[in-house]
Amino acid sequence: MVIDSIAVKAEEMYRPVFHFTPKENWMNDPNGMVYYQGEYHLFYQYYPDDTVWGPMHWGHAVSKDMIHWQRLPIAIYPDEKGYIFSGSCVVDWNNTSGLGSKQNPPMIAIYTYHDPEGEKSGEITFQSQAIAYSLDKGRTWSKYEGNPVIPNPGIRDFRDPKVIWHRESKQWVMVLAVKDRINFYSSKNLKDWQLESEFKKQYETDEGVWECPDLFSLIDQDGHEKWVLLVSVNSKGPQGGSATQYLVGNFDGNTFLPDHTETKWVDFGADNYAGVTFSDIPNVDGRRLFMGWMSNWQYAQVVPTEKWRSAMTIPRELTLKKMGEKHLLCSKPVQEMEAILKPSKRITENEYRSSQISYAIEIDETLTSASIRFSNELDESFTIAIENGEIVTDRTQAGKNTFSKDFGVIHKAQLPFKEISNVKLFVDTSSVELFVNDGAFVMTELLFPTTPLSIISTKGIHQFKFSAIQSIWK
Ligand code: FRU
């Protein structure tokens, strides 16, 4: 049953034009992203009764292109075992679980139960891992009667299972966030799991609790396969608060060994958290596709939207680039985005002033010191500048920001290369996503201007390509 794919009304302030949002109420992490029978599924942490976090459900939407979404009824509801926290989905093609058949392979959701009663009573064993299955393209879900499949071993933070099929060892592998480390489990049938190893940084960190891991392999430009471990950290992100790191290394089916000790960020902006990648993308496609939650726990629950809270980032393709001895994880907007870009215009200096509220710009010239300033008739403004090898964004005057002391601030991030040759920027009603040099550097930021911001001036940029972006909602 389709609940709606109806247009969102223009008076809904800050509702993004080309980003996924729930029709109403609270959303956080993307969950269970999987491709099956021509559909991309997006499940997400959802509280249907309020615009702040509450008892978690899995909301659901499907898409044929990751851009236009159809909202579906809630997929998984909390029950006596607890709230349904973050997790993943796989297609069990060979019916290893026995929960479907080879002709109709089950989709399996692997999620965390968070038992609020247990938490209140002061015990620490209130998070465990469970599975549910669907035999009708994700439309209805049954919980496995043997849940939990991984009971809590006596650790307070024990959540967010991401499951992959590990081809070489012919087994399912689960990465799980356990306090400030990642546990690796293996299974032949998605029901019985063995702990294989544990990964922890070799030095003390103050990143808070680890959340929402992911594990996948990518081939760099020299044809070498590397494994990438994503870890979202609850505090001390590059702009403060929550953000997602990655580690590049080797994985043999049991143990992950990183190549480096330094911290690497998937995105240097303040607003891309808990992102993970789609499962079961067909081999003929072969891309590693990612979406994140476009917010930050520092202020996610108080941002000035009324009926709904939070959006997802635009979908991104992840690739691995070797630079010297190091690997860099690049994320660029998926090519499907092109379909919603209206024909582009070349804009040269002094031609700015566009009344569009959602648009993309692309700059194809070498930049060293440059800036773009966005403003509106109320003199609210936002700037992005390249200065001394850093990207600096300033949202101190960009509209509403009194809801949190952490919001209206200047953000800085060091670029990992000297020369900028390409910049892509996607501007929506309440966000800006910046991709530099084919996604080798990314910054995602929320903004809440009172009226839309347009580009009013640039420095050090001679011309750019401008394309208005169409709404993804009919
Ligand atoms: C990350 C997170 C997860 C948890 C979920 C609860 O944002 O805290 O660790 O499963 O959100 O909604």
Side-chain angles (χ1 to χ4, degrees):
M1 186 194 40
V2 174
I3 282 192
D4 87 271
S5 56
I6 301 170
V8 290
K9 297 202 178 66
E11 64 269 18
E12 282 196 78
M13 214 169 168
Y14 304 130
R15 172 82 76 179
V17 167
F18 60 91
H19 289 85
F20 179 79
T21 47
K23 187 156 184 256
E24 44 198 19
N25 292 316
W26 170 264
M27 172 177 85
N28 55 293
D29 317 353
N31 293 152
M33 292 191 290
V34 64
Y35 180 83
Y36 185 50
Q37 294 199 354
E39 291 178 325
Y40 294 91
H41 291 260
L42 167 65
F43 300 89
Y44 50 88
Q45 289 287 279
Y46 186 50
Y47 182 41
D49 297 327
D50 205 345
T51 51
V52 290
W53 190 91
M56 283 290 115
H57 301 54
W58 273 27
H60 190 196
V62 287
S63 169
K64 291 204 171 352
D65 58 6
M66 291 175 284
I67 310 289
H68 300 87
W69 293 95
Q70 189 177 52
R71 301 188 184 105
L72 294 177
I74 289 172
I76 310 182
Y77 283 80
D79 58 41
E80 69 294 342
K81 294 196 177 75
Y83 302 162
I84 314 298
F85 269 23
S86 286
S88 52
C89 257
V90 290
V91 181
D92 183 11
W93 294 103
N94 292 316
N95 193 30
T96 60
S97 62
L99 294 169
S101 62
K102 279 218 173 146
Q103 296 68 39
N104 188 20
M107 289 173 84
I108 309 276
I110 310 98
Y111 60 88
T112 297
Y113 265 127
H114 173 98
D115 172 13
E117 300 305 323
E119 184 181 23
K120 264 185 233 129
S121 74
E123 56 184 53
I124 56 168
T125 55
F126 52 85
Q127 294 185 341
S128 59
Q129 315 321 316
I131 62 175
Y133 58 99
S134 169
L135 301 173
D136 58 358
K137 295 179 70 180
R139 284 356 185 231
T140 60
W141 290 84
S142 309
K143 288 167 183 148
Y144 170 56
E145 55 190 28
N147 282 337
V149 292
I150 307 185
N152 189 293
I155 303 174
R156 195 186 158 82
D157 294 292
F158 188 72
R159 58 176 177 268
D160 307 341
K162 173 80 164 113
V163 171
I164 62 166
W165 174 253
H166 187 251
R167 222 179 321 122
E168 294 75 8
S169 60
K170 296 193 183 57
Q171 59 182 354
W172 300 102
V173 167
M174 178 196 292
V175 280
L176 189 71
V178 181
K179 216 164 76 180
D180 56 354
R181 60 195 106 116
I182 300 297
N183 278 5
F184 294 81
Y185 293 82
S186 68
S187 174
K188 293 283 179 207
N189 59 11
L190 294 160
K191 299 193 267 197
D192 304 300
W193 292 91
Q194 286 80 46
L195 178 63
E196 295 287 344
S197 68
E198 169 180 297
F199 169 73
K200 187 177 183 320
K201 286 197 178 160
Q202 288 152 349
Y203 50 94
E204 283 307 308
T205 66
D206 52 1
E207 293 159 351
V209 170
W210 287 11
E211 299 181 315
C212 300
D214 194 358
L215 179 72
F216 48 86
S217 70
L218 287 174
I219 313 268
D220 68 14
Q221 77 270 30
D222 301 333
H224 294 128
E225 181 182 62
K226 281 278 148 193
W227 284 83
V228 178
L229 180 65
L230 301 186
V231 176
S232 282
V233 301
N234 210 268
S235 59
K236 296 275 159 48
Q239 310 305 341
S242 36
T244 304
Q245 300 187 358
Y246 68 95
L247 295 114
V248 181
N250 295 314
F251 179 69
D252 60 5
N254 309 91
T255 313
F256 178 79
L257 275 179
D259 291 347
H260 56 97
T261 50
E262 90 259 34
T263 299
K264 295 167 179 265
W265 299 104
V266 170
D267 188 313
F268 285 86
D271 300 300
N272 180 357
Y273 191 60
V276 286
T277 64
F278 279 88
S279 184
D280 292 278
I281 297 300
N283 288 338
V284 289
D285 178 325
R287 289 176 299 170
R288 186 47 58 179
L289 300 166
F290 169 100
M291 285 206 295
W293 173 44
M294 198 155 56
S295 200
N296 189 313
W297 278 116
Q298 281 184 326
Y299 40 71
Q301 303 195 75
V302 291
V303 295
T305 60
E306 274 165 30
K307 279 177 65 179
W308 53 280
R309 274 221 177 88
S310 301
M312 295 302 175
T313 66
I314 55 173
R316 300 163 184 198
E317 178 184 354
L318 303 183
T319 56
L320 204 57
K321 201 182 206 165
K322 192 153 192 213
M323 287 183 39
E325 283 312 295
K326 296 180 179 174
H327 279 99
L328 198 68
L329 187 70
C330 303
S331 9
K332 53 184 182 186
V334 294
Q335 108 236 340
E336 285 86 340
M337 284 295 294
E338 301 283 325
I340 54 168
L341 300 190
K342 294 197 181 148
S344 64
K345 293 188 276 189
R346 282 251 156 229
I347 309 259
T348 49
E349 285 156 288
N350 310 322
E351 272 187 346
Y352 303 133
R353 294 223 171 263
S354 132
S355 55
Q356 300 295 336
I357 57 169
S358 54
Y359 50 92
I361 71 167
E362 182 165 2
I363 308 165
D364 265 321
E365 50 192 72
T366 305
L367 304 175
T368 39
S369 171
S371 66
I372 308 180
R373 186 174 167 80
F374 303 76
S375 187
N376 59 13
E377 63 282 11
L378 302 170
D379 253 354
E380 294 169 346
S381 68
F382 173 66
T383 49
I384 301 180
I386 303 161
E387 286 165 10
N388 309 319
E390 278 186 334
I391 295 281
V392 182
T393 64
D394 182 346
R395 59 179 182 186
T396 56
Q397 311 294 323
K400 297 208 175 100
N401 63 19
T402 50
F403 53 87
S404 161
K405 65 173 184 11
D406 296 314
F407 191 84
V409 295
I410 292 175
H411 293 153
K412 291 186 180 180
Q414 191 70 45
L415 287 164
F417 36 74
K418 293 226 164 60
E419 198 178 281
I420 296 188
S421 53
N422 176 269
V423 173
K424 283 189 178 145
L425 201 63
F426 290 80
V427 181
D428 206 337
T429 43
S430 49
S431 63
V432 172
E433 286 160 284
L434 169 72
F435 300 87
V436 182
N437 288 4
D438 240 357
F441 174 92
V442 187
M443 220 161 164
T444 304
E445 309 262 63
L446 289 177
L447 300 175
F448 297 99
T450 312
T451 62
L453 297 176
S454 306
I455 297 175
I456 58 151
S457 64
T458 60
K459 276 195 201 130
I461 300 167
H462 299 105
Q463 56 166 324
F464 56 83
K465 230 166 75 179
F466 178 96
S467 318
I469 303 187
Q470 273 161 236
S471 170
I472 61 171
W473 307 103
K474 287 200 198 78

